[in-house]
Amino acid sequence: MDCRRCGTELDRPGDYCLACDTANCDAVVVAFERERATLTFLRDPPEHADDEQPEIVGETTITTVPEEDPEARVVELRNFAGKVADEIRRKRPEEVYAAGAREPLRECRAQLHHRFYRVPDDDPVERVRSQRGERSLEVVQTAPEEKLGGSHSTLIGGRDGRDVVNTVAAHPNVKKLIPGPIEAGGGGSRGGVRAKATRAGQSGNVRLLIRDGSSVQENRVVTTAMDRETGERVRDALNEALVEAGFQAE
């Protein structure tokens, strides 16, 4: 494969061209299994092109052999994720999308500084191609603590509740999070803080429900989504982030 700008031959499909400082891959989709990761490299079409979906410019598979010993398993997992992260760095993409096994996905995300999104496991490549063919959602760079607003400053669940709120507020498609009043939910006294982003409204905004024992707090989440469909994409991402952070999204 040659560079799309200067024509220099690239070592691997989608590699960043060092000759003219040009990216040849705009997004990477990683489908993780515990023993392997399949990376697909996407390049967005030129402006005003007839085909609105990204082109697949390459694919590669990285494998590992999971260790049985717990200590060796930690090192093996780190090395596996590191190989995936190194391949992504070669491309210098705008965004990374990942699906599949949580352990290597979580470790890989920790090793990267790219915008990293969790996507559903069902055909992640085609899902990402379809989404990138639509209008891109605005990205909000504001720090999570600066996104909190409203008249209710008390958060349910103490430190865990604040961690939930920060997890949601840290998402790049969240503009603002407005805490609501804390109420007796009457849903039992199950221990631990649980959280869930609910179905998006017509405007693309969602509600964040946080439960702590029998108490519940409903928080309004203002997103950059423009309608219910794109709001559902943000909701899915928020629930995945909550699961990754160790909170059960039910």
Side-chain angles (χ1 to χ4, degrees):
M1 178 181 172
D2 296 336
C3 173
R4 58 179 164 184
R5 181 179 180 186
C6 71
T8 298
E9 184 178 358
L10 305 173
D11 289 340
R12 301 178 191 173
D15 275 358
Y16 187 88
C17 180
L18 299 177
C20 67
D21 290 329
T22 298
N24 290 281
C25 169
D26 297 305
V28 176
V29 183
V30 190
F32 281 101
E33 299 175 44
R34 184 55 188 88
E35 300 82 10
R36 71 181 62 241
T38 301
L39 292 80
T40 303
F41 312 120
L42 305 179
R43 184 165 67 187
D44 292 336
E47 192 174 358
H48 307 305
D50 292 336
D51 187 357
E52 295 183 353
Q53 289 198 348
E55 172 191 6
I56 298 175
V57 296
E59 181 181 289
T60 191
T61 299
I62 296 172
T63 61
T64 187
V65 178
E67 298 282 354
E68 296 295 332
D69 178 73
E71 292 186 7
R73 183 180 176 88
V74 171
V75 176
E76 172 268 322
L77 179 63
R78 185 185 305 122
N79 291 339
F80 173 39
K83 291 179 181 178
V84 176
D86 286 344
E87 188 65 33
I88 292 171
R89 292 188 192 100
R90 290 180 63 99
K91 316 305 177 188
R92 302 192 193 180
E94 295 176 357
E95 297 173 334
V96 178
Y97 300 85
R102 296 189 183 280
E103 278 189 298
L105 188 157
R106 185 182 298 115
E107 179 62 33
C108 182
R109 178 165 57 185
Q111 296 188 30
L112 291 171
H113 298 289
H114 297 72
R115 293 208 300 265
F116 200 109
Y117 301 101
R118 186 75 153 81
V119 292
D121 297 346
D122 182 26
D123 203 352
V125 173
E126 287 308 309
R127 182 179 288 267
V128 172
R129 292 185 72 212
S130 175
Q131 289 181 5
R132 289 184 70 86
E134 302 169 355
R135 286 184 294 168
S136 297
L137 295 181
E138 175 192 352
V139 172
V140 180
Q141 303 289 357
T142 308
E145 59 271 15
E146 296 179 13
K147 294 181 182 180
L148 298 181
S151 59
H152 296 278
S153 58
T154 302
L155 296 173
I156 195 173
R159 178 179 296 179
D160 284 346
R162 182 162 291 278
D163 286 345
V164 167
V165 168
N166 286 337
T167 297
V168 171
H171 192 276
N173 297 136
V174 170
K175 289 182 178 180
K176 194 170 186 179
L177 192 150
I178 304 172
I182 299 173
E183 301 177 355
S189 58
R190 178 179 172 180
V193 172
R194 295 106 65 204
K196 175 184 178 182
T198 66
R199 180 176 172 82
Q202 293 291 346
S203 62
N205 296 328
V206 301
R207 301 279 177 176
L208 173 66
L209 295 180
I210 307 177
R211 296 184 183 276
D212 181 24
S214 60
S215 299
V216 62
Q217 184 174 26
E218 181 177 296
N219 308 278
R220 183 184 176 210
V221 182
V222 181
T223 77
T224 59
M226 64 288 292
D227 51 33
R228 172 169 285 171
E229 182 178 356
T230 50
E232 284 294 290
R233 284 165 42 191
V234 176
R235 179 182 73 94
D236 288 343
L238 293 179
N239 281 330
E240 287 289 350
L242 289 169
V243 172
E244 294 292 335
F247 299 101
Q248 185 176 3
E250 322 179 320

